[in-house]
């Protein structure tokens, strides 16, 4: 008798729950740049009854520009989307049934020229702002002072509060007293080991290839694992979906070039390369005898990314990074050496929206760092060459799955 009573209770409660759920709708979608098609990270999305009243709900877009608002009752609302550097956009949304709505928004960038403004106020962090996290706009880095015309990401980060440098010639980040090897450096979700060129004088990251830079100095979220000092999370550009475009720079010691553009209707690409040509400059000023005595040094790095929109709920991203430093003694010498070190990374990422309330991201990651040394010496007595070679290698393979669930407006 007791089992029958429990069964009747369950059968009676389930229809009530299902009926109650039909009174609500989930609004979700993606926010992108109208001109380039790039996803906009951290855009504010609010919902209000009319254009002047206080918002009923508010969310922020994630690193893929995706947002979700669960449990929206029937009625007419104004959906307002805003982001720094873009014109605000309002959309009238009418909910008359229980079906979920997908509303994708494209924002138009704005340019405003104003006079000098002085603002004095107490600092207030948004509810979603993490304490100890600083976001840096890559366009700001290009405006900062450079050394010999070489713009560097790490040297800009050294100007932030709580970040120091060991010396004027070092690009290492000493955050809250920690050493550079205690920082977690991520590029498109992939660990980059020893991210420096020229013995720490330059970083391996090209600012022209980056669209988002986030430095977390404390209170690291669990998704990053454990680190003693800081987390530097950088995201590469996805490439313009409007037209083929590019930019380049020739400085006193290096040159770089960035190209991006669409591949058909649903795909785009970005490729950026940089080459340090100290070896070419030395060859210009040295005589033929001096060239045989002076060691050769140069470095180069390459960033590339392709994204393909399969459907409204599925995106594929393939990104890669390659960097090398080469220091070698001329082969004409009896005693010579070759030292090569650098990184290679790759990330195949699948972004899938299971439902308006559930956002998923799957990544297949590869990272490879090596430091290779080769030394040879020629013995004139017996006309033989003695060689010594060593190789240090760090190679990671990682399969990672992430999910963001929006069950309720309060969670």
């Amino acid at each position: 008798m007791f089992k029958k009573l429990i069964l009747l209770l369950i059968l009676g409660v389930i229809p009530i729950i299902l009926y109650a759920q039909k009174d609500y709708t989930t609004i979700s979608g993606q926010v992108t740049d109208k001109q380039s098609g790039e996803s906009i990270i951290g855009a504010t999305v609010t919902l209000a009854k009319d254009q002047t009243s206080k918002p009923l709900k508010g969310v922020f877009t994630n690193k893929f520009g995706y947002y979700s608002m669960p449990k929206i009752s029937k009625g007419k609302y104004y959906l307002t989307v805003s982001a720094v550097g873009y014109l605000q956009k309002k959309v009238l949304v009418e909910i008359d049934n229980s079906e979920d709505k997908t509303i994708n928004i494209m924002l138009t960038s704005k340019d405003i020229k104003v006079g000098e403004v002085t603002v004095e106020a107490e600092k207030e962090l948004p509810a979603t702002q993490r304490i100890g996290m600083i976001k840096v706009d890559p366009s700001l880095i290009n405006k900062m002072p450079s050394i010999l015309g070489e713009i560097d990401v790490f040297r800009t980060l050294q100007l932030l509060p709580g970040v120091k440098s060991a010396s004027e010639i070092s690009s290492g980040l000493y955050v809250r007293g920690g050493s550079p090897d205690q920082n977690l450096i991520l590029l498109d979700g992939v660990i980059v080991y020893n991210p420096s060129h020229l013995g720490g004088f330059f970083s391996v990251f090209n600012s022209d290839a980056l669209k988002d830079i986030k430095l977390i100095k404390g209170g690291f979220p669990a998704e990053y694992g454990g680190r003693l000092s800081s987390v530097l999370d950088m995201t590469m550009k996805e490439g313009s979906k409007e037209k083929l475009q590019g930019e380049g720079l020739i400085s006193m010691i290096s040159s770089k070039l960035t190209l991006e553009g669409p591949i058909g209707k649903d795909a785009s690409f970005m490729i950026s390369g940089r080459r340090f040509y100290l070896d070419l400059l030395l060859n210009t000023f040295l005589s033929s005898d001096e060239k045989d005595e002076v060691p050769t040094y140069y470095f180069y790095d390459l960033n590339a990314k392709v994204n393909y929109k399969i459907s409204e709920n599925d995106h594929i991203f393939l990104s890669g990074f390659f960097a090398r430093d080469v220091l070698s003694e001329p082969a004409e010498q009896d005693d010579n050496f070759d030292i090569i070190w650098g990184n290679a990374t790759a990330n195949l990422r699948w972004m899938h929206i299971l439902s308006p309330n559930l956002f998923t991201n799957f990544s297949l990651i590869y990272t490879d760092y090596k430091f290779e040394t080769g030394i040879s010496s020629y013995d004139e007595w017996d006309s033989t060459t003695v060689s010594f070679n060593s190789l240090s290698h760090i190679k990671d393979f990682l399969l990672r799955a992430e999910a963001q669930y929006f069950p309720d407006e309060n969670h």
Side-chain angles (χ1 to χ4, degrees), residues 186-354:
L186 297 173
L187 180 64
D188 263 17
V190 186
I191 298 177
V192 179
Y193 297 100
N194 190 21
S196 62
H197 287 309
L198 196 58
F201 195 78
F202 297 112
S203 71
V204 298
F205 303 112
N206 186 353
S207 60
D208 291 344
L210 303 176
K211 83 168 181 180
D212 185 63
I213 302 172
K214 181 169 58 179
L215 177 65
I216 306 177
K217 299 182 294 182
F220 316 128
E223 63 182 287
Y224 295 111
R227 275 304 185 273
L228 293 176
S229 189
S230 72
V231 174
L232 179 61
D233 190 0
M234 294 172 287
T235 304
M236 283 196 286
K237 292 179 180 178
E238 299 171 5
S240 173
K241 294 183 176 67
E242 183 190 19
K243 62 180 179 179
L244 180 64
Q245 59 188 35
E247 58 182 325
L249 175 67
I250 299 177
S251 68
M252 297 177 62
I253 56 176
S254 70
S255 297
K256 60 182 178 179
L257 178 66
T258 302
L259 294 174
E260 57 179 317
I263 306 176
K265 182 181 178 181
D266 299 320
S268 63
F269 79 96
M270 184 281 302
I271 184 169
S272 181
R274 177 175 59 166
R275 215 282 195 178
F276 180 80
Y277 40 71
L278 179 62
D279 55 328
L280 303 179
L281 293 176
L282 289 178
N283 289 335
T284 304
F285 297 104
L286 297 177
S287 64
S288 57
D289 294 335
E290 291 174 331
K291 292 179 183 178
D292 297 336
E293 299 178 357
V294 177
T296 300
Y297 173 79
Y298 64 92
F299 69 75
Y300 58 93
D301 47 59
L302 179 69
N303 298 73
K305 190 171 185 177
V306 177
N307 80 91
Y308 175 58
K309 182 180 179 181
I310 302 176
S311 66
E312 289 295 331
N313 297 329
D314 295 278
H315 279 70
I316 295 291
F317 301 89
L318 177 60
S319 60
F321 168 73
F322 187 83
R324 281 290 181 271
D325 286 67
V326 179
L327 176 63
S328 61
E329 185 81 11
E332 289 76 11
Q333 299 290 330
D334 292 338
D335 300 326
N336 55 69
F337 63 88
D338 291 286
I339 303 176
I340 301 173
W341 70 94
N343 292 272
T345 70
N347 187 358
L348 178 61
R349 180 178 294 180
W350 172 35
M351 184 203 77
H352 178 58
I353 303 173
L354 283 172

Side-chain angles (χ1 to χ4, degrees), residues 72-201:
I72 308 299
S73 57
K74 296 180 181 180
K76 292 184 179 181
Y77 303 92
Y78 279 92
L79 186 73
T80 304
V81 183
S82 59
V84 177
Y86 292 90
L87 293 173
Q88 188 184 81
K89 189 169 185 178
K90 293 188 178 182
V91 179
L92 179 62
V93 181
E94 185 173 355
I95 299 176
D96 54 5
N97 52 44
S98 59
E99 292 184 1
D100 296 325
K101 282 187 174 292
T102 300
I103 303 176
N104 297 322
I105 303 295
M106 292 188 294
L107 296 183
T108 304
S109 60
K110 65 176 179 179
D111 297 322
I112 301 176
K113 186 177 180 180
V114 297
E116 180 180 344
V117 177
T118 302
V119 179
E120 296 180 359
E122 295 292 331
K123 184 177 181 181
E124 295 182 2
L125 291 175
T128 57
Q129 179 70 52
R130 294 174 182 152
I131 297 177
M133 184 184 78
I134 299 177
K135 300 187 74 172
V136 181
D137 191 344
S139 62
L140 174 64
I141 296 176
N142 295 329
K143 300 176 183 177
M144 299 299 291
S146 59
I147 298 179
L148 298 176
E150 188 65 25
I151 300 169
D152 193 88
V153 176
F154 279 21
R155 294 193 181 276
T156 301
L157 296 177
Q158 288 174 353
L159 303 176
L160 298 177
V163 184
K164 299 294 182 182
S165 62
S167 64
E168 294 295 331
I169 63 173
S170 173
S171 64
L173 300 180
Y174 292 79
V175 183
R176 305 294 191 196
S179 59
D181 62 320
Q182 296 173 350
N183 302 318
L184 174 62
I185 311 296
L186 297 173
L187 180 64
D188 263 17
V190 186
I191 298 177
V192 179
Y193 297 100
N194 190 21
S196 62
H197 287 309
L198 196 58
F201 195 78

